Amino acid sequence: MRVRWGQLVWFSLLVIAVLATVALTTKDVVNRITLGLDLRGGFEVLYEAKPHEKGQKITPQTLASAAEALRNRIDVLGVTEPDITIEGNNRIRVQLAGVKDKEKAREILGKPARLTFRDPTGKKVLLDGGDLKEGSASQDYDQSGRPAVMLELKNPQKFYDLTRKYVGQPMPIYLDDQQLDAPVINEPIPNGKAIITGNFTAESAKTLANLLNAGSLPVDLKEKQSYSVDASLGQDSLMKSLRAGLIALVMIFVFVIGYYRLPGLIAVVTLLAYSYLVLLTFSLLNVTLTLPGIAAYILGIGMAVDANIIMYERIKEEMRRGKSIPASVRSGSRRSFLTIFDANITTVLAAAVLFYFGTAGVKGFAVSLIVSIAVSFLTAVALARILMTLLLKANVLKSPALFGVKESEIGEL
């Protein structure tokens, strides 16, 4: 049979397109992936939520509100992509990649920041942080040029009544149990706007304003555990992981080409496509890549190779039974599909269980594994079949030796 050059050209164009895309865009894709704190360095802390007041219950809504308040506070630290997860019934895990000053992070995250305006004795609370207008606190300067905090009350009439009641007396302002100031009310304040003065620096006044805007935490947070990763250690872990992955890929390439010949070359193309598409998916979905995620990525490479091996071994078995190459490819591909599908679906189910019950690190592993399996199914099954079919239609697969099958083996089974 004559070689059909049109099919061969399509095969070549498809392979070139895959290789060119991988070679030209992989670097940009990798640079857009967000690295976790174990690769980038940073700070992680696990909090246990406890009732703020006697009789208070810790509900999922309470934990969600606390997580949102923490997220607002993290903005103070300049961390753009914090990872905050609620674990169990009363725990919140915060991961801050790139944070270097862990003590400052710990102070800002765990500080209750309950602002109260009290009567002249300091014992009776007249107003609290909940009476503040949302986002109204800001750093400013008083008439003497000293740093101060400006804020606005939600109910100007209520504030006016209180300031009128205590004219000529101090109205102490407390942050938690610490008195910030005790300004004397010279006259009733009608517009609800107040200013907190004290021994502030510009930075401390700005931090206080940010904390007030972030809102009071609805629960008390007790730190259960924490750890920090140095940026250089994270970089070292990343380089070692990449080196391990590269060595694994090279060894796999050598094995599949040496043992499966032409199908092995197709497997190399599909594995390159798989590696690229997984990284692209991580980038598009804003997946934070961690060391467990890299482990799942490399595990996915193994599963992709496994799918190729199952299909090619089926094809070789069909050839040994004496079938023609086209019939062997069609039959082997069809018979291997259910085996590959079953293997992948059971692994996805296991990953789903890990995601549901696991902690943040385990969930990252599970998500990476599910993405890797989905992509490997597309490349190892769909793309490999397309490439093999194009070669079949081009009439270039004429010898079993191209599949690593010796003439003496045919008819053995």
Side-chain angles (χ1 to χ4, degrees), residues 8-26 268-270 272-274 276-277 280 383 386-387 390:
L8 201 56
V9 168
W10 277 114
F11 172 85
S12 301
L13 289 176
L14 188 54
V15 172
I16 291 172
V18 171
L19 297 180
T21 302
V22 171
L24 297 177
T25 64
T26 297
V268 169
V269 175
T270 60
L272 288 174
Y274 159 82
Y276 174 81
L277 289 175
L280 182 63
L383 181 59
I386 292 173
L387 293 174
L390 287 173

Side-chain angles (χ1 to χ4, degrees), residues 153-345:
L153 282 297
K154 292 179 180 176
N155 189 337
Q157 183 61 46
K158 180 180 179 181
F159 192 55
Y160 172 76
D161 294 338
L162 289 172
T163 53
R164 186 179 61 178
K165 180 178 179 180
Y166 294 103
V167 167
Q169 302 180 67
M171 181 182 282
I173 303 172
Y174 283 77
L175 186 65
D176 300 329
D177 294 325
Q178 179 184 0
Q179 181 176 307
L180 297 178
D181 201 0
V184 176
I185 303 173
N186 297 319
E187 58 183 354
I189 301 175
N191 57 6
K193 295 182 179 178
I195 179 171
I196 303 174
T197 59
N199 296 322
F200 292 120
T201 63
E203 183 178 357
S204 63
K206 183 177 180 180
T207 300
L208 175 58
N210 287 332
L211 285 173
L212 296 175
N213 285 330
S216 300
L217 289 171
V219 292
D220 290 334
L221 295 179
K222 181 180 180 181
E223 183 176 322
K224 299 296 291 183
Q225 66 179 48
S226 65
Y227 77 94
S228 60
V229 179
D230 185 77
S232 59
L233 181 61
Q235 187 67 22
D236 183 59
S237 299
L238 177 61
M239 296 309 298
K240 287 181 178 178
S241 301
L242 293 177
R243 191 180 302 119
L246 184 61
I247 292 173
L249 270 179
V250 171
M251 293 177 67
I252 290 170
F253 289 172
V254 171
F255 171 75
V256 295
I257 293 175
Y259 193 76
Y260 293 102
R261 311 295 173 82
L262 183 60
L265 283 173
I266 293 177
V268 169
V269 175
T270 60
L271 285 174
L272 288 174
Y274 159 82
S275 302
Y276 174 81
L277 289 175
V278 170
L279 293 175
L280 182 63
T281 305
F282 286 167
S283 173
L284 295 176
L285 297 180
N286 292 322
V287 173
T288 299
L289 189 61
T290 60
L291 280 176
I294 292 179
Y297 177 55
I298 296 176
L299 178 60
I301 293 176
M303 295 199 64
V305 175
D306 189 48
N308 285 120
I309 289 176
I310 291 173
M311 184 168 68
Y312 298 152
E313 283 296 333
R314 289 284 190 183
I315 292 173
K316 291 172 72 172
E317 283 182 10
E318 298 298 327
M319 288 184 183
R320 293 188 182 110
R321 292 176 187 271
K323 291 184 178 180
S324 65
I325 291 177
S328 298
V329 170
R330 285 192 291 270
S331 178
S333 299
R334 185 176 62 254
R335 292 179 61 190
S336 64
F337 178 81
L338 283 180
T339 304
I340 297 171
F341 182 79
D342 288 346
N344 285 333
I345 202 67

Side-chain angles (χ1 to χ4, degrees), residues 9-233:
V9 168
W10 277 114
F11 172 85
S12 301
L13 289 176
L14 188 54
V15 172
I16 291 172
V18 171
L19 297 180
T21 302
V22 171
L24 297 177
T25 64
T26 297
K27 186 176 180 181
D28 291 336
V29 171
V30 171
N31 289 336
R32 290 198 297 269
I33 294 177
T34 303
L35 299 180
L37 68 87
D38 54 354
L39 298 176
R40 187 178 164 192
F43 177 64
E44 176 180 312
V45 59
L46 176 64
Y47 289 113
E48 182 179 80
K50 291 183 173 297
H52 199 50
E53 300 173 350
K54 189 176 181 180
Q56 181 186 14
K57 293 183 179 179
I58 306 298
T59 65
Q61 183 59 41
T62 305
L63 291 175
S65 300
E68 185 60 29
L70 287 175
R71 190 176 300 279
N72 291 334
R73 294 182 174 197
I74 291 169
D75 290 340
V76 178
L77 297 171
V79 178
T80 56
E81 296 178 0
D83 189 2
I84 302 176
T85 53
I86 297 173
E87 298 180 357
N89 298 323
N90 61 348
R91 294 191 173 189
I92 299 176
R93 186 180 298 275
V94 181
Q95 294 180 317
L96 305 174
V99 167
K100 297 178 181 177
D101 191 346
K102 64 178 183 181
E103 293 305 325
K104 182 179 179 181
R106 180 182 280 118
E107 178 185 357
I108 290 180
L109 287 175
K111 199 174 185 62
R114 186 166 186 263
L115 182 76
T116 54
F117 295 75
R118 305 186 183 184
D119 69 355
T121 65
K123 297 180 180 179
K124 182 181 180 182
V125 175
L126 304 176
L127 299 165
D128 61 22
D131 291 307
L132 293 182
K133 192 173 182 180
E134 187 175 352
S136 66
S138 63
Q139 188 266 318
D140 207 328
Y141 295 90
D142 61 14
Q143 295 179 345
S144 301
R146 296 177 301 179
V149 177
M150 302 289 292
L151 51 88
E152 184 173 354
L153 282 297
K154 292 179 180 176
N155 189 337
Q157 183 61 46
K158 180 180 179 181
F159 192 55
Y160 172 76
D161 294 338
L162 289 172
T163 53
R164 186 179 61 178
K165 180 178 179 180
Y166 294 103
V167 167
Q169 302 180 67
M171 181 182 282
I173 303 172
Y174 283 77
L175 186 65
D176 300 329
D177 294 325
Q178 179 184 0
Q179 181 176 307
L180 297 178
D181 201 0
V184 176
I185 303 173
N186 297 319
E187 58 183 354
I189 301 175
N191 57 6
K193 295 182 179 178
I195 179 171
I196 303 174
T197 59
N199 296 322
F200 292 120
T201 63
E203 183 178 357
S204 63
K206 183 177 180 180
T207 300
L208 175 58
N210 287 332
L211 285 173
L212 296 175
N213 285 330
S216 300
L217 289 171
V219 292
D220 290 334
L221 295 179
K222 181 180 180 181
E223 183 176 322
K224 299 296 291 183
Q225 66 179 48
S226 65
Y227 77 94
S228 60
V229 179
D230 185 77
S232 59
L233 181 61

